[in-house]
Amino acid sequence: MFRPSKRLFTLEKKKKKKKKKKNKQSNSNRVLALQCSGPNKQSNSNRVLALQCSGPNKQSSKCPTKSNTIHYNGSLCQLDVCGQAPLNNKIVGGDNATAGSWPWQVSIQSVKFGAHFCGGSLINKDWVLSAAHCFQGLSASDVVMYFGRQSQSGLNSNEINRTARGIIIHQYYNDTQFNNDIALVQLSSSVTFSDYIRPVCLAAAGSKLAGGTESWVTGWGTLQPGGQTAKILQEVMIPIVNSTECKFVYGALITSKMICAGKGGKGSCQGDSGGPLVNRNASVWIQSGIVSFGPKQCDDPKYPSVFARVSEYQDWITSNIGSNPPGFVKFNNSGFRSSLNFLLFAISLTFSIIPFTFSLYLTS
């Protein structure tokens, strides 16, 4: 992760009537039980959040009324827990992340070498979302994942780890253009959520982010091009760069399945690959991108970081996960356009070759 003289630039049916059940659910940290598979599976469009509003566990303060009914576009599964970071109080600017600030952040490491090489995000109790290029030539037995981790050295009292049961790389991943740079990793066993370990919500199909939208990227990538990886989880706020401006500097490399973000040398760097780009909608954090690639010099101010666009893969993610899919939320921010002054480089770029772009993962 690179900021000027700091770090964070990574180049990365018939509906059956549901029977009322008396579920024993506490009023604190309650996990919403939703029908996400089988004959009562809920569709993915304009659904109303189903809350327990009857029986002994009725929660009147959360029950929908004519004035407060909650509508979501996307999967309802886990929408009561995803994207919640109770220990996160973000302000613009940033450096070392505090413990629990990004509870979905995953450190993906090599079993053989015991070293961090890519990031990822927890999307439900059994699956991690990351970048396809992170797993080229690797098998599930080569991977171990750490959750609740803040530091890459010393004690992390809130940390747990899991090995991988399986890795699914997008069938149309293009390792030359980095198109469809997305992968899913199934955990060897489920994790238990806490304030330090929680899933992130995912941007649903049709989500839109205007240029200039504030976004956050996190990871343990190098603090400067070719330098050492960060010991403490890093965070930086960067603006979305609209597709027209991104294509102007990268050319045909940019597709509709990518999203760009970064400004003034702030962005991702080697070791941040596979990590999340997130946006905040009220109190909910939504992952809109996966760190994919960037310029060879991470701090080059002319080139933003490039991410796989999560909203383009809702169907792919849900079809591969099956039951208990992640929480998808439609993010639609018309926002404002910000040119980010990329056009100032028009003359020089017209007569120059774009520096060799590369994925932002570390090799042992």
Side-chain angles (χ1 to χ4, degrees):
M1 190 158 301
F2 191 92
R3 1 180 129 63
S5 66
K6 297 244 175 150
R7 88 140 286 309
L8 186 74
F9 197 105
T10 313
L11 264 129
E12 197 159 222
K13 326 166 179 178
K14 292 181 180 178
K15 294 185 178 179
K16 296 183 179 179
K17 293 183 179 179
K18 299 182 180 133
K19 297 180 181 179
K20 294 181 180 179
K21 296 181 181 180
K22 295 182 179 179
N23 295 322
K24 294 181 178 180
Q25 296 177 312
S26 65
N27 288 333
S28 61
N29 298 321
R30 182 173 61 92
V31 177
L32 186 61
L34 293 169
Q35 296 293 334
C36 298
S37 60
N40 293 320
K41 182 177 180 180
Q42 301 180 48
S43 64
N44 285 336
S45 62
N46 299 319
R47 288 172 299 175
V48 179
L49 187 62
L51 297 168
Q52 296 290 333
C53 296
S54 61
N57 294 317
K58 179 177 179 179
Q59 297 184 351
S60 59
S61 63
K62 291 186 177 181
C63 292
T65 66
K66 290 183 179 179
S67 61
N68 69 4
T69 299
I70 306 170
H71 292 270
Y72 286 90
N73 282 335
S75 171
L76 290 178
C77 301
Q78 302 186 71
L79 283 174
D80 62 329
V81 291
C82 76
Q84 303 296 319
L87 303 180
N88 185 314
N89 292 304
K90 288 301 108 205
I91 58 174
V92 175
D95 193 359
N96 292 345
T98 57
S101 293
W102 312 102
W104 41 81
Q105 180 73 46
V106 180
S107 174
I108 301 177
Q109 304 200 6
S110 163
V111 170
K112 182 177 180 180
F113 299 102
H116 170 91
F117 65 88
C118 267
S121 53
L122 183 67
I123 58 175
N124 72 10
K125 62 186 179 65
D126 296 304
W127 291 87
V128 163
L129 185 66
S130 189
H133 74 260
C134 289
F135 304 101
Q136 295 294 286
L138 295 180
S139 64
S141 60
D142 297 321
V143 173
V144 61
M145 293 159 286
Y146 290 86
F147 307 85
R149 170 169 285 206
Q150 180 195 24
S151 173
Q152 293 291 355
S153 62
L155 178 66
N156 289 276
S157 59
N158 303 299
E159 174 183 285
I160 62 174
N161 67 75
R162 294 290 186 272
T163 54
R165 176 179 297 179
I167 300 171
I168 303 173
I169 294 175
H170 196 283
Q171 64 272 30
Y172 298 123
Y173 168 60
N174 183 319
D175 61 3
T176 301
Q177 193 178 30
F178 299 117
N179 205 25
N180 300 306
D181 194 5
I182 185 172
L184 288 165
V185 185
Q186 186 174 20
L187 309 186
S188 56
S189 62
S190 301
V191 297
T192 300
F193 300 153
S194 68
D195 283 350
Y196 299 90
I197 302 171
R198 294 194 179 201
V200 66
C201 293
L202 300 181
S207 293
K208 296 179 181 179
L209 290 169
T213 301
E214 291 184 357
S215 307
W216 289 83
V217 62
T218 52
W220 288 275
T222 57
L223 301 177
Q224 58 186 8
Q228 296 295 313
T229 56
K231 297 300 182 183
I232 304 296
L233 179 65
Q234 300 292 294
E235 59 186 27
V236 66
M237 194 279 288
I238 55 177
I240 294 295
V241 176
N242 70 52
S243 296
T244 300
E245 289 158 355
C246 195
K247 288 179 180 178
F248 185 83
V249 294
Y250 280 110
L253 204 60
I254 303 302
T255 73
S256 61
K257 295 190 174 182
M258 300 174 184
I259 188 170
C260 302
K263 180 181 181 181
K266 292 183 179 181
S268 51
C269 207
Q270 297 98 316
D272 288 325
S273 275
L277 174 76
V278 296
N279 308 94
R280 184 162 54 182
N281 188 0
S283 63
V284 176
W285 291 93
I286 304 166
Q287 182 176 353
S288 56
I290 302 166
V291 176
S292 183
F293 68 91
K296 189 172 184 178
Q297 287 297 118
C298 300
D299 56 348
D300 190 329
K302 296 189 292 293
Y303 299 93
S305 299
V306 184
F307 306 79
R309 189 183 292 267
V310 171
S311 60
E312 290 290 319
Y313 299 98
Q314 181 173 349
D315 289 343
W316 183 83
I317 292 170
T318 54
S319 64
N320 279 289
I321 288 180
S323 61
N324 193 31
F328 285 93
V329 177
K330 190 169 184 178
F331 191 100
N332 193 348
N333 179 10
S334 55
F336 58 92
R337 247 183 127 261
S338 175
S339 68
L340 303 183
N341 297 318
F342 282 123
L343 295 180
L344 293 178
F345 301 101
I347 296 176
S348 61
L349 287 173
T350 300
F351 299 101
S352 65
I353 298 174
I354 296 176
F356 176 69
T357 56
F358 64 104
S359 53
L360 300 173
Y361 77 109
L362 297 175
T363 55
S364 301

